[in-house]
Amino acid sequence: MEAARPALPSDAPAVTDLARTAVGELGLLRGGPVWQLQDARVEPIDEGVAADIDRDVALGLTVVGTIDGTVVGYGVSRLETLTDGSVLAEVSDLYVDPGARGVGLGEAMMDLLVAHAQEAGAIGIDALALPGDRETKNFFETFGLKARAIVVHRSLRATEVPQVPPVPGGDDGGS
């Protein structure tokens, strides 16, 4: 049976493994190499995961998705106080093991993160989808998330890290 729930300290090893896998998987996508350098979790990942799980619920929430009690997905949101004193929720992590996708775990975890943001009085919720990752973009759009900013980038390195070519007719990163 599939379920989503707040993460427990005992979930940390499974979440750490999933986080490492997510960083590697996203690093292969267009925009992924710079994302890895700027925003991705870094070692010691286990310490960051433990801190997220232990975070006061007033500051954020870590959730897990399970199948028959086994953790196969996780999500993390943080609450940020804006300059006017309002609160914005940011989903920094949302990942489901590829073998467990398509059964509703991502949706169940996102439902918990959205509910937490609403309970906290957040004015909105943000999440990141890398350019060309139409599946992730479409997933977030089902929750009403729309692009509110587009970051553009030009590499200044002499040799560029190989990028996954865009899918013909695929998303160009815009919305």
Side-chain angles (χ1 to χ4, degrees), residues 5-167:
R5 61 171 171 75
L8 304 170
S10 59
D11 296 322
V15 172
T16 297
D17 289 344
L18 289 166
R20 282 190 178 108
T21 301
V23 169
E25 187 176 306
L26 289 174
L28 299 175
L29 300 177
R30 189 171 43 152
V34 174
W35 171 82
Q36 283 181 320
L37 295 170
Q38 183 178 30
D39 297 312
R41 290 182 179 273
V42 295
E43 293 295 346
I45 289 178
D46 57 332
E47 291 178 13
V49 164
D52 284 339
I53 292 172
D54 291 338
R55 178 176 290 114
D56 186 306
V57 73
L59 301 174
L61 181 66
T62 300
V63 298
V64 293
T66 63
I67 296 179
D68 296 329
T70 301
V71 174
V72 294
Y74 79 103
V76 177
S77 69
R78 294 179 182 90
L79 300 176
E80 175 186 357
T81 302
L82 303 177
T83 58
D84 68 354
S86 61
V87 174
L88 178 69
E90 179 187 3
V91 176
S92 61
D93 300 50
L94 189 66
Y95 183 78
V96 176
D97 181 88
R101 293 178 185 165
V103 297
L105 285 176
E107 290 86 351
M109 291 187 299
M110 190 68 179
D111 283 340
L112 291 176
L113 297 175
V114 169
H116 176 259
Q118 290 171 324
E119 291 166 11
I123 64 165
I125 188 165
D126 282 356
L128 178 110
L130 291 173
D133 188 354
R134 183 172 289 281
E135 186 176 333
T136 297
K137 177 182 165 286
N138 291 346
F139 172 84
F140 285 131
E141 285 181 345
T142 66
F143 286 89
L145 281 76
K146 305 283 185 219
R148 68 170 184 82
I150 297 174
V151 176
V152 295
H153 174 79
R154 174 183 165 197
S155 177
L156 299 176
R157 290 183 173 179
T159 58
E160 182 60 45
V161 177
Q163 299 288 318
V164 176
V167 176

